[in-house]
């Protein structure tokens, strides 16, 4: 080993060296986070399933469900994923105008979903399904509530991207930021498909 | 280490960039993985003293039957806090300390993938540890045992806010562990030096990697369980409550067994989160001190991976007395026994590494050998538990207490001390005294066996765990006395270590770059390593690159022409002169310090504190939680607006 | 640099420690037979099945233990460093060996797993001896035990009586938090879980006639340590006599302190929590006291059932057992003596 302590390094100093896999660090982080979040929702869904059909007293979730209504908001969320794909495609093309449109559409559809959920929660509450009433109410509200919180976080994220786009801070080079937000958004969407199926659709 | 001399006035970001190179602020704002590692190490060690003190108090109470030194409430609080502290505030963060300090060095990186997230993890960990222990101040200490079985934790049976301290503290610690695990996962996947393929990674890096995966997958489950418990306690939901909220109301319908499943789905992987890093350390120490590469490296890797996988399939072995079906019991018995196979592979490979080697019985090696010997005992008592009918006699007796200390103390703690003795010279630039190290080892080894060996007999003689007192005439007197004496011997051994550490820092022998004739990249750079670790990132052409480079004659498989470490790695040449010779190296960029991780951590503390305030019944105090979360959000904004590096204006 | 001189004593100490551990391990099998809660001196069929399995696993473990620790010790002594810079041949592994130490432990484990699983299923099936079983419902309370014999109409607390040679079917549940029913001599423990009923069975041996200790084995709050119980295995005749006695309503106190105590009892807070069959006392919060005088201990096996202890308990239950659920206004010393006399007379 030679003595090089006094010689500066040969190539230009960069902090982030070439990643070993060629993937972006933040993207790998998001994937790891989503893996973790799978377990989070898994545990919540299991908590729901454990009590499913063993609920005591009334009303229980299946008494108050309005499946057509919820299907509409689920559809809105599903469509938002499509808009998200278009937003990503736009920035990858460098089309910031379309990026803004589709980001706003995605967030808007997300808001439709959240609005629907707020309305649903209030209605259910009026019909007597409460957090503390029975295990049905408990597991239903906590599961869907935490999903709603995830969606809300996603909306905030999308809107912050939108604001940056409006302020002219988004460019093709930042498509990764949109891609990562998109990963999160699609994940939250898929989780809803599972929740919707398990909680609302499959009969007891 | 004057690293920030030529820093211009900060430009972007909300706050001015911290610039102090030394002093308290430099530690508060550091995002250097090495300093964070030291912070973890120190904090965890202090918690070790606290947890050990709690244990000594318990042992003093149990020294004789019908003792009245402690009351039942105090004793119950002590074992709860002792177990929780040792697991979450000692062994996990001590492992994290080495993840932080050593892994980037072993993979040839300048830092972790997300340095500020790393600092954030530490501050959140500290917040969680403080929140957990805050109950001592107001006399409401958690007292329901470290697995907190419902419905004992419900507000009906535990109205005191003690349980809330535990719930909030653990939840916050979970955030810290997750943040750290994400970071190490990405670091190891992404930041390996060129040529350092997965199958060339040092085993400690491997176990860090696998442990991180376990954390990522297991902690969300306890997060959910804690959220559910918190909702039950604060908002009257009925996840685990069986009894009606008010007399005459319908039964709540909750099932307390749900808690047990959620808890152990988390907590069994958790015990492997505690042991895998320890196994990684032993896998580093054993080869170096026998001057042989690790025997059966690929099998060691497969074993780690299969242990991790199996650890998710065995959780119900903690529930053999809860009335599982015969099928379920058989399944969990079989899967539990299966774990002994990959673990055995590791034991046999370590011994085979030693076999035919030239074993230097220095302190790190002694602790590693102690690990192998003691962990085997703990593993074998584990296999005894794995048989459900047998376990119904052992569950909740001191036999289990013996098992868990043989694996956790004889395993994790011994290995962590091996790691401390092994890497101390790299971290401080000075050696720990070997004579004192030997003394500490033998005191600890003997004290440990005196304390926990007799607990096997106590268990077989039917002494239940978690009892603050027992009657005379149960045949438990003798072994309790022996165990208590042993515990104080361990205490003395810890004092010897503390003395050794202080002595080393003041007058210890200079270590030089490579005091042990090491094999891996961390020994190619000065001790302590310069701020930027590697002047130039090395290129690795094999397992144990440094070993191959130093002893090409020993490594039969050395390919001529391919240098094991291609580029120069910043070896100073002046043995023992430490970092000073590297002063003035600003050309290599490392991330700058930042206030935001500290602020975000403080925000989490405030948020957790708000939950505790409202646990008294006044839910409007949840506003404090809101304030805390607001601080977190502001910090994250500040954080993302702040560039990783300030531009240098020379 | 190893100081060769000091190496040997170290190794000797190490070997001694290991030897100690081995012999200590051996003692586990030869555990203290006089410990009343010992888990390895079974007094029932089910207990013996567990014990057989434990013996098998234990000796397997001893073999593995001696093998592994011996190999380790031998290796460390044989290959300790004798001088610096020794040349060491760099072996990297051996696939055949790896296969060997995958397969051999698997075989050992299989030898444990098969009898384990068959024992699990035996325990899960109806008991092998079913003629004239005794059915008991065990209900855990913070911090005492309620025993009900639904077929015999007997309700008692903290002291369980079973006939030798007849299979006992135990149904375990809880009134509040999780407890665990455990009389080590008879076999393993079963958790008492609210809303659930867990069952187990065992047949006490004829040789097990006598008193056995048991204890709550799941942490259940403040006084978990003092949630103890006794099992009396009786001969058939004694058991029948005991049942007859327990079924009878409370013996009416004829005169004296006991009779005064009875009147006092009916006027006191006691009746809100305790049942004494055939009287106004029908509370269910505390143990059934109908035949409390026939028990050998009170307060869940904590203290002997003597007049002094009883009086002390009634005057200061919180002093005897901090935090227990018997909370009542201060009782005067003389009243306490009367209560004690009355309760002692309830045989
Ligand atoms: C570091 C932590 C750690 C580790 C590594 C382990 C490892 C194991 N544990 Fe342990 N365990 C705990 C920590 C740990 N445990 C804790 C904290 C508790 C108590 C929780 C509480 O209640 O508070 C507990 C409790 C516990 C129970 C529940 C007991 C009860 O409450 O009734 C069981 C039951 O099966 C069990 C089994 C095992 C097994 C089979 C292993 C195996 O992984 C061990 C494998 C190792 C070996 C077997 C030795 C080496 C192998 C060979 C030399 C090969 C040859 C061997 C054979 C052929 C047998 N453990
Ligand atoms: C890594 C984990 C770990 C470690 C290292 C230890 C270490 C020790 N443990 Fe612990 N223990 C657990 C994990 C651990 N334990 C867990 C998980 C439980 C179950 C909890 C539950 O049931 O919920 C448990 C339970 C437990 C019990 C059973 C309690 C009960 O069931 O009633 C006992 C009893 O003896 C005990 C004793 C000890 C002792 C004597 C030590 C000693 O080895 C400690 C030695 C350390 C020291 C002595 C520190 C040195 C301190 C000084 C020298 C004092 C100076 C300090 C100052 C001036 C500040 N432990
Ligand atoms: Cu009841 Cu412990
Ligand atoms: Cu386990």
């Amino acid at each position: 080993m030679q003595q090089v302590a006094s010689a500066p390094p040969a190539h230009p100093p960069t902090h982030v060296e070439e990643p070993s896999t060629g993937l972006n660090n933040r993207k790998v982080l998001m994937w790891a986070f989503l893996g973790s979040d799978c377990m989070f929702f898994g545990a919540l869904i299991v908590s729901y399933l454990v009590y499913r059909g063993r609920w005591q007293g009334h009303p229980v979730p299946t008494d108050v469900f309005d499946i057509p209504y919820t299907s509409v908001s689920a559809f809105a969320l599903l469509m938002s994923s499509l808009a998200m794909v278009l937003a990503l495609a736009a920035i990858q093309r460098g089309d910031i105008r379309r990026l803004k449109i589709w980001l706003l559409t995605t967030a808007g559809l997300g808001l439709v979903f959240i609005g629907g959920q707020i309305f649903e929660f209030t209605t259910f509450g009026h019909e007597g399904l409460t957090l503390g009433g029975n295990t049905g109410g408990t597991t239903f509200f906590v599961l869907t509530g935490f999903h709603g919180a995830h969606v809300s976080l996603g909306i905030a994220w999308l809107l912050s991207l939108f604001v940056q786009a409006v302020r002219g801070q988004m460019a093709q080079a930042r498509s990764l930021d949109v891609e990562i937000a998109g990963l999160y958004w699609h994940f939250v969407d898929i989780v809803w498909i599972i929740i919707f199926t398990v909680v609302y659709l499959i009969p007891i | 280490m004057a690293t920030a001399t030529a820093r211009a006035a900060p430009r972007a970001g909300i706050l001015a960039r911290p610039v102090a190179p030394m002093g308290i602020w430099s530690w508060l704002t550091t995002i250097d993985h090495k300093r964070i590692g030291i912070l973890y190490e120190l904090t965890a060690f202090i918690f070790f003293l606290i947890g050990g003190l709690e244990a000594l108090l318990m042992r003093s109470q149990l020294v004789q039957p019908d003792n009245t030194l402690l009351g039942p409430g105090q004793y119950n609080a002590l074992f709860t806090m002792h177990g929780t502290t040792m697991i979450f505030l000692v062994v996990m963060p001590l492992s994290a300390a080495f993840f932080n300090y050593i892994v980037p060095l072993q993979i040839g990186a300048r830092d972790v993938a997300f340095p500020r997230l790393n600092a954030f993890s530490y501050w959140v960990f500290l917040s969680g540890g403080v929140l957990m222990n805050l109950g001592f101040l107001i006399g409401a200490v958690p007292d329901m045992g470290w697995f907190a079985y419902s419905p004992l934790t419900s507000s009906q049976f535990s109205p005191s806010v003690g349980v809330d301290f535990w719930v909030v503290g653990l939840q916050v610690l979970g955030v810290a562990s997750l943040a750290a695990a994400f970071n190490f996962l990405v670091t190891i996947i992404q930041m390996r030096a060129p040529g350092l393929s997965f199958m060339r990674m040092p085993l400690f890096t491997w176990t860090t990697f696998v442990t991180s995966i376990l954390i990522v997958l297991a902690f969300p489950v306890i997060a959910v369980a804690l959220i559910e418990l918190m909702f039950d306690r604060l908002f009257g939901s009925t996840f685990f409550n069986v009894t009606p909220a008010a007399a005459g109301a319908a039964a709540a319908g909750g099932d307390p067994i749900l808690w047990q499943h959620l808890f152990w789905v988390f907590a069994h992987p958790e015990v492997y989160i505690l042991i895998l890093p320890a196994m990684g350390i032993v896998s580093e120490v054993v080869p170096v001190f026998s001057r042989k590469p690790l025997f059966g490296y690929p099998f060691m890797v497969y074993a780690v991976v299969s242990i991790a996988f199996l650890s998710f399939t065995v959780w119900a072995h903690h529930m053999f007395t809860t009335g599982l079906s015969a099928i379920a019991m058989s399944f969990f018995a079989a899967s539990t026994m299966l774990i002994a196979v990959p673990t055995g592979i590791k034991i046999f490979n370590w011994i085979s590494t030693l076999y035919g080697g030239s074993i230097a019985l220095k302190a790190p090696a002694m602790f590693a050998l102690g690990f192998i010997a003691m962990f085997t005992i703990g593993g074998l008592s584990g296999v005894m538990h794995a048989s459900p009918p047998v376990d119904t006699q052992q569950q909740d007796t001191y036999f289990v207490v013996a098992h868990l200390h043989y694996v956790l103390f004889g395993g994790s703690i011994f290995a962590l001390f091996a790691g401390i003795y092994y890497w101390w010279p790299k971290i401080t630039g000075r050696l720990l005294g070997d004579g004192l190290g030997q003394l500490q080892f033998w005191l600890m080894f003997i004290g440990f066996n005196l304390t926990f060996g007799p607990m096997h007999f106590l268990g077989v003689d039917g002494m239940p765990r978690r009892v603050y007192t027992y009657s005379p005439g149960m045949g438990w007197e003798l072994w309790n006395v022996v165990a208590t004496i042993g515990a104080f011997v361990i205490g003395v051994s810890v004092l010897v270590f503390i003395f050794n550490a202080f002595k080393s820092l003041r007058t210890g022998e200079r270590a030089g770059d490579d005091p042990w004739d090491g094999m891996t990249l961390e020994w190619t750079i000065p001790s302590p390593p310069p701020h930027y670790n590697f002047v130039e990132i090395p290129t690795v052409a094999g397992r144990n690159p440094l070993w191959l480079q130093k002893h090409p004659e020993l490594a039969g498989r050395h390919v001529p022409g391919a240098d094991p470490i291609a580029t120069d790695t910043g070896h100073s040449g002046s043995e023992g002169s430490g970092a000073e010779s590297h002063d003035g190296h600003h050309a290599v960029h490392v991330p700058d310090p930042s206030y935001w991780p500290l602020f975000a951590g403080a925000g989490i503390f405030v948020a957790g504190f708000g939950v505790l305030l409202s646990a008294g019944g006044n839910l409007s105090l949840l506003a404090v939680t809101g304030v805390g979360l607001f601080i977190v959000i502001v910090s994250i904004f500040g954080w993302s607006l702040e560039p990783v590096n300030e531009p240098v204006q020379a | 640099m190893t100081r060769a001189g000091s190496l040997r004593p170290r190794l000797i100490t190490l070997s001694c420690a290991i030897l100690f551990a081995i012999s200590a391990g051996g003692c586990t099998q030869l555990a203290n037979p006089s410990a009343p809660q010992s888990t390895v001196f079974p007094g029932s069929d089910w207990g013996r099945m567990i014990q057989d399995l434990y013996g098998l696993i234990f000796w397997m473990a001893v073999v593995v233990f001696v093998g592994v620790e011996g190999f380790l010790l031998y290796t460390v002594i044989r290959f300790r460093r004798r001088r610096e810079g020794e040349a060491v041949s760099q072996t990297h592994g051996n696939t055949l060996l790896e296969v060997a130490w995958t397969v051999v432990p698997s075989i050992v484990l299989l030898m444990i797993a098969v009898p384990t699983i068959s024992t699990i299923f035996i325990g899960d099936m109806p008991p092998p001896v079913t003629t004239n079983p005794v059915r008991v419902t065990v209900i855990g309370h913070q911090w005492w035990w309620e025993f009900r014999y639904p077929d015999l109409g007997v309700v008692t607390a903290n002291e369980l009586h079973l006939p030798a040679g007849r299979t006992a079917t135990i149904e375990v549940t809880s009134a509040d938090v999780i407890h665990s029913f455990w009389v080590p001599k008879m076999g393993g423990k079963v958790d008492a879980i609210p809303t659930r009923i867990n069952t187990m069975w065992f047949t006490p041996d004829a040789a097990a006639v006598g008193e056995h200790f048991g204890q709550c084995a799941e942490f259940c709050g403040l006084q978990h340590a003092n949630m103890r119980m006794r099992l009396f295995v009786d001969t058939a005749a004694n058991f029948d006599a005991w049942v007859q006695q327990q079924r009878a309503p409370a013996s009416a106190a004829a005169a004296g302190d006991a009779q005064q105590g009875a009147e006092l009892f009916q006027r006191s807070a006691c009746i809100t929590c305790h049942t004494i069959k055939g009287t106004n006392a029908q509370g269910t919060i505390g143990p059934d006291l109908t035949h409390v005088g026939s028990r050998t201990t009170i307060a869940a096996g904590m203290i002997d059932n003597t007049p002094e202890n009883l009086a002390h308990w009634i005057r200061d239950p919180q002093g005897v057992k901090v935090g227990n659920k018997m909370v009542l206004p201060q009782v005067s010393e003389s009243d306490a003596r009367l209560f004690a006399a009355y309760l002692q007379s309830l045989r």
Side-chain angles (χ1 to χ4, degrees), chain B residues 55 59 75 82 86 91 146 398 405 409 455 465-466 490:
Chain B
R59 285 309 329 159
Y75 184 87
H82 164 73
M86 287 297 190
V91 176
W146 87 279
Y398 267 79
H405 286 95
F409 194 118
M455 290 187 186
R465 62 193 285 202
R466 299 175 161 181
I490 300 178

Side-chain angles (χ1 to χ4, degrees), chain A residues 1-48 50-51 54 56-57 131-143 146 153 156 160 164, chain B residues 110-115 117 178 182-183 185-186 188-193 215-218 220-221 223-224 227-228 231-232 235-240 250-256 258 262 265 312 524 535-537 546 549 568-574 581-582 585 587-591 637 644-645:
Chain A
M1 274 177 281
Q2 39 181 148
Q3 152 78 285
V4 288
S6 52
H11 56 75
T14 44
H15 164 58
V16 183
E17 314 289 331
E18 271 302 293
S20 317
T21 59
L23 297 168
N24 173 275
N25 281 357
R26 281 187 298 138
K27 203 158 144 188
V28 177
L29 178 69
M30 182 45 80
W31 278 111
F33 172 77
L34 296 183
S36 195
D37 227 20
C38 276
M39 294 298 285
F40 185 86
F41 279 110
L44 282 171
I45 291 173
V46 164
S47 299
Y48 180 85
V50 162
Y51 292 123
R54 291 206 281 148
Q56 294 180 8
L131 182 64
N134 57 30
T135 50
T138 290
T139 52
F140 171 80
F141 282 118
V142 172
L143 169 58
F146 270 93
L153 208 72
S160 86
Q164 289 179 54
Chain B
R110 297 229 164 89
D111 208 311
V112 294
F114 303 101
L117 184 65
L178 278 170
F182 289 138
N183 211 340
L185 214 52
V186 179
I188 294 171
I189 294 176
Q190 295 285 80
M191 301 186 58
R192 283 166 287 129
I215 292 177
V216 161
L217 296 180
V221 181
V224 166
I227 286 170
E228 293 179 349
F231 270 63
D232 274 7
F235 309 125
S237 64
T238 62
F239 281 103
F240 313 117
D255 188 343
L258 174 63
L262 290 175
V265 165
F312 278 100
T524 63
V535 172
E536 211 172 301
I537 301 300
L546 179 59
Q549 186 173 58
D568 193 282
T569 51
H571 183 90
S572 71
S574 49
S581 61
H582 290 272
H585 254 296
V588 183
H589 257 221
V590 288
F637 260 98
V644 174
N645 288 105

Side-chain angles (χ1 to χ4, degrees), chain B residues 413-502:
Chain B
I413 296 285
F414 270 68
L416 287 165
F417 269 109
I420 291 174
Y421 276 90
Y422 180 58
W423 281 308
W424 179 278
K426 179 53 59 189
I427 295 170
T428 66
R430 292 171 186 271
L431 290 162
L432 280 165
D434 197 58
L436 283 171
Q438 301 283 347
L439 177 68
Q440 189 213 338
F441 171 78
W442 283 111
L443 279 175
M444 192 171 256
F445 184 81
I446 292 166
F448 166 77
N449 280 292
L450 281 181
T451 312
F452 302 111
M455 290 187 186
H456 291 108
F457 311 147
L458 287 173
V460 167
D461 290 343
M463 178 163 170
R465 62 193 285 202
R466 299 175 161 181
V467 294
Y468 77 99
T469 189
Y470 52 94
S471 294
M474 299 300 285
W476 303 332
E477 287 92 339
L478 171 66
W479 292 126
N480 270 306
V481 173
V482 175
T484 302
I485 294 172
F488 281 89
V489 176
I490 300 178
V492 173
S493 79
V494 175
L495 294 177
V496 170
F497 170 76
I498 295 173
F499 176 70
N500 199 0
F502 276 108

Side-chain angles (χ1 to χ4, degrees), chain B residues 72-73 76 79 143-145 147 149-152 157 242-243 254-257 260 288-297 299 321-324 326-327 329-330 333-334 337-338 340-341 344-345 347-349 351-352 354-362 366 369 372-374 376-377 380 383-384 386-397 399 434-435 438 442 445-446 449-450 456-457 459-471 473-476 547 554-557, chain C residues 1-3 7 10-11 13-14 17-18 20-21 24-25 27-28 31-40 46-47 50 53-54 57-58 61-62 64-65 68-69 71-72 74-76 78-95 97-98 101-102 105-106 109 112-113 116-117 119-121 124 142 175-178 180 182-191 193-196 198 213 215-226 228 301-302 322:
Chain B
N76 297 347
F79 71 69
D143 58 357
M144 63 302 167
F147 44 73
Y149 276 178
S150 68
L152 185 59
F157 296 110
V242 277
T243 31
D255 188 343
I257 296 298
Q260 297 194 14
V288 168
F289 287 83
S290 42
R291 292 171 64 80
K292 272 179 68 198
L294 191 64
F295 194 85
Y297 173 95
F299 296 92
T321 59
T322 57
L324 298 173
I327 305 269
M329 279 208 262
S330 307
M337 289 176 190
L338 208 55
V341 174
I345 291 175
I347 301 269
F348 294 125
N349 276 309
I351 304 182
S352 302
L354 294 164
Y355 195 93
S358 165
I359 306 166
L361 292 174
K362 299 211 175 121
M366 294 308 285
L369 294 172
I372 301 175
M374 295 301 105
T376 301
I377 301 179
L380 291 173
V383 171
M384 296 185 180
S387 175
V390 175
D391 185 57
T392 59
Q393 285 284 27
Q394 298 167 344
Q395 138 118 70
D396 272 312
T397 66
F399 203 85
D434 197 58
Q438 301 283 347
W442 283 111
F445 184 81
I446 292 166
N449 280 292
L450 281 181
H456 291 108
F457 311 147
V460 167
D461 290 343
M463 178 163 170
R465 62 193 285 202
R466 299 175 161 181
V467 294
Y468 77 99
T469 189
Y470 52 94
S471 294
M474 299 300 285
W476 303 332
W547 187 247
L554 291 180
R557 308 199 309 195
Chain C
M1 257 189 306
T2 328
R3 282 147 299 152
L7 187 61
R10 260 185 243 153
L11 287 172
T13 331
L14 181 67
I18 303 267
F20 163 78
C27 296
T28 311
N32 184 355
S34 64
Q37 247 164 247
S38 174
T39 61
V40 288
W46 175 235
I50 293 177
L53 195 54
Y54 173 66
I57 299 176
F58 176 79
V62 168
V64 174
F65 173 77
V68 172
E69 306 284 355
F71 182 26
L72 174 65
Y74 168 80
T75 306
V76 172
R78 164 100 158 63
F79 296 103
R80 69 187 186 278
R81 187 169 299 176
R82 286 154 219 258
R83 72 198 146 69
E84 280 317 298
E86 279 174 321
V88 169
S89 96
Q90 304 285 299
T91 44
H92 288 266
N94 179 326
T95 308
L97 274 176
E98 303 287 348
W101 55 57
T102 308
S106 303
L109 290 167
I112 297 173
T116 289
I117 291 175
T119 311
I120 293 174
F121 277 88
D124 197 50
Q142 276 183 326
D176 37 49
V177 302
I178 299 180
S180 193
W182 186 39
V183 184
K185 280 262 150 75
M186 295 297 125
K189 56 186 73 67
V190 178
D191 288 356
I193 302 169
T195 73
R196 292 186 177 222
N198 285 328
F213 283 54
Q215 187 155 1
C216 174
E218 185 64 76
F219 182 68
C220 52
L222 198 65
Q223 281 295 353
H224 163 67
N226 286 316
R228 304 173 190 165
M302 207 182 159
V322 188

